């Protein structure tokens, strides 16, 4: 995802939608990941927002070989190291600093540093990073903002995340500088509470068919 990352398919190109997963119980990680993969969403971002996150990443990495599990909400070098040791295969941050960027580059994993302004995009391009998370997408200007970046900064590609829905995702995916979008709509709270993995799989299949 960054130019310094290992060769291989970009996370931006694995699926049109990357589910952004928040798990309170690592026991749910494997059946949830299996449902998402069965629906066609193989790249799964597990956010480091709960105590269960690292165990969830570890379980998915160990037990769901068809999933490409990554760590989201990575905001410190310690988070980078913990995610790497848990088996994460990519990293996503809501924003970036020089210290965090150095740690993500040093991990050897593909990564998506978060941006919401033109200056942040230019600063990352200056550092050789061409693939980024645009966050919070809707609040930061949405499709109109990203479209305006495509002419002066065509080398930058984005995964917009934040406030995107099934209805709005196609407009993002139609932009030339968008590789995929991040979202949570295929993970409704009641489905997770009830462990309704069939519903999750159905919603994932609908999302995977967007492009």
């Amino acid at each position: 995802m960054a130019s310094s990352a290992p060769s291989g398919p970009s996370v931006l190109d694995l699926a049109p939608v990357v589910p952004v997963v928040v798990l309170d119980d690592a026991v749910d990680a494997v059946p949830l990941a299996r449902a998402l993969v069965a629906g066609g969403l193989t790249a799964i971002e597990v956010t480091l927002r709960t105590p269960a996150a690292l165990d969830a990443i570890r379980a998915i990495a160990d037990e769901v070989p068809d999933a490409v599990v990554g760590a989201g909400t990575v905001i410190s070098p310690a988070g980078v190291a913990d995610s790497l040791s848990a088996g994460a295969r990519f990293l996503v941050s809501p924003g970036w600093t020089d210290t965090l960027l150095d740690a993500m580059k040093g991990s050897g994993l593909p990564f998506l540093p978060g941006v919401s302004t033109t200056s942040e995009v230019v600063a990352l391009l200056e550092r050789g990073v061409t693939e980024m998370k645009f966050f919070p997408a809707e609040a930061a200007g949405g499709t109109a903002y990203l479209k305006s970046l495509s002419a002066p900064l065509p080398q930058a590609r984005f995964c917009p995340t934040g406030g995107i829905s099934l209805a709005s995702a196609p407009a993002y995916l139609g932009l030339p500088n968008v590789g995929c979008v991040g979202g949570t709509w295929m993970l409704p709270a009641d489905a997770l509470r009830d462990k309704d993995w069939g519903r999750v799989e159905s919603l994932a299949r609908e999302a995977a068919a967007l492009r």
Side-chain angles (χ1 to χ4, degrees), residues 148-197:
S148 70
L149 292 181
S150 63
L153 302 171
Q155 64 272 54
R157 295 180 73 217
F158 300 95
C159 174
T161 305
I164 298 174
S165 66
L166 178 65
S168 63
Y172 282 95
L173 293 169
L175 297 174
N177 55 351
V178 169
C180 63
V181 300
T184 61
W185 74 84
M186 73 297 300
L187 304 163
D190 57 340
L192 300 189
R193 182 192 66 229
D194 298 339
K195 304 184 190 301
D196 188 351
W197 310 127

Side-chain angles (χ1 to χ4, degrees), residues 47-103:
T47 67
L48 302 185
R49 301 181 196 175
T50 67
L54 291 170
D55 285 339
I57 291 170
R58 190 173 292 109
I60 295 170
D62 289 346
E63 299 182 48
V64 192
D66 292 333
V68 180
V69 63
T73 320
V74 178
I75 58 172
S76 68
V80 171
D82 290 343
S83 300
L84 181 63
S85 65
R89 292 170 62 183
F90 64 93
L91 306 170
V92 183
S93 69
W96 66 277
T97 65
D98 288 330
T99 299
L100 179 58
L101 191 66
D102 287 345

Side-chain angles (χ1 to χ4, degrees), residues 71-149:
T73 320
V74 178
I75 58 172
S76 68
V80 171
D82 290 343
S83 300
L84 181 63
S85 65
R89 292 170 62 183
F90 64 93
L91 306 170
V92 183
S93 69
W96 66 277
T97 65
D98 288 330
T99 299
L100 179 58
L101 191 66
D102 287 345
M104 290 193 293
K105 282 188 171 185
S107 72
L109 296 177
F111 59 92
L112 287 177
V115 297
S116 60
T117 69
T118 306
S119 293
E120 291 171 318
V121 176
V122 172
L124 285 175
L125 292 174
E126 192 176 77
R127 289 161 173 77
V129 178
T130 59
E131 300 190 351
M132 313 165 194
K133 172 179 177 172
F134 180 60
F135 176 84
E138 287 287 283
T143 55
Y145 194 99
L146 285 171
K147 185 176 181 180
S148 70
L149 292 181

